[in-house]
Amino acid sequence: QVQLVESGGGLVQAGGSLRLSCAASINIFSFNVMGWYRQAPGKQRELVAHITKGGSTNYRDSVKGRFTISRDDAKNTVYLQMNSLKPEDTAAYYCNALHPWGDSWGQGTQVTVSS
């Protein structure tokens, strides 16, 4: 069973930065895609960004130019660097992995951006 543990969330003022980390319980080299999703209260979970095994990235339009996803296979970790944060970025952020054994989710980390 693949376990994912997120960290790095918190409370930050608008314009500030946070870096989220997602640590996997096993080596992520074989993981096809790793991504970050978020879910605000009363809203559906939405894709924020993902990165493929080959390093290709994709972002939702509202975070392009502000967020950067990266992966460090040696550390079994995926990161989401979030800059110029806005109140509308407030949500619970979840890590997801598509791997040879299926699909795994982390427990989430809360990001709150104050205006």
Side-chain angles (χ1 to χ4, degrees):
Q1 182 178 3
V2 177
Q3 293 183 331
L4 303 175
V5 179
E6 302 100 332
S7 61
L11 174 64
V12 64
Q13 289 187 332
S17 298
L18 285 173
R19 187 176 81 155
L20 305 183
S21 299
C22 171
S25 58
I26 65 172
N27 191 286
I28 67 172
F29 179 77
S30 62
F31 288 13
N32 297 316
V33 182
M34 295 195 74
W36 286 96
Y37 288 73
R38 67 186 181 188
Q39 186 168 19
K43 295 188 177 181
Q44 290 188 331
R45 189 171 295 188
E46 61 185 21
L47 175 66
V48 176
H50 75 240
I51 184 166
T52 69
K53 181 179 179 179
S56 297
T57 58
N58 184 57
Y59 300 90
R60 70 180 303 105
D61 287 346
S62 62
V63 307
K64 286 181 180 177
R66 300 188 297 121
F67 291 11
T68 303
I69 189 171
S70 61
R71 59 190 284 171
D72 186 337
D73 289 2
K75 295 183 178 180
N76 301 327
T77 301
V78 172
Y79 303 97
L80 185 67
Q81 178 66 44
M82 305 186 294
N83 299 327
S84 301
L85 282 161
K86 304 176 180 181
E88 51 264 43
D89 294 318
T90 295
Y93 283 70
Y94 298 89
C95 181
N96 172 263
L98 296 178
H99 47 74
W101 307 276
D103 177 32
S104 298
W105 290 89
Q107 83 289 346
T109 185
Q110 179 66 35
V111 171
T112 302
V113 184
S114 63
S115 57

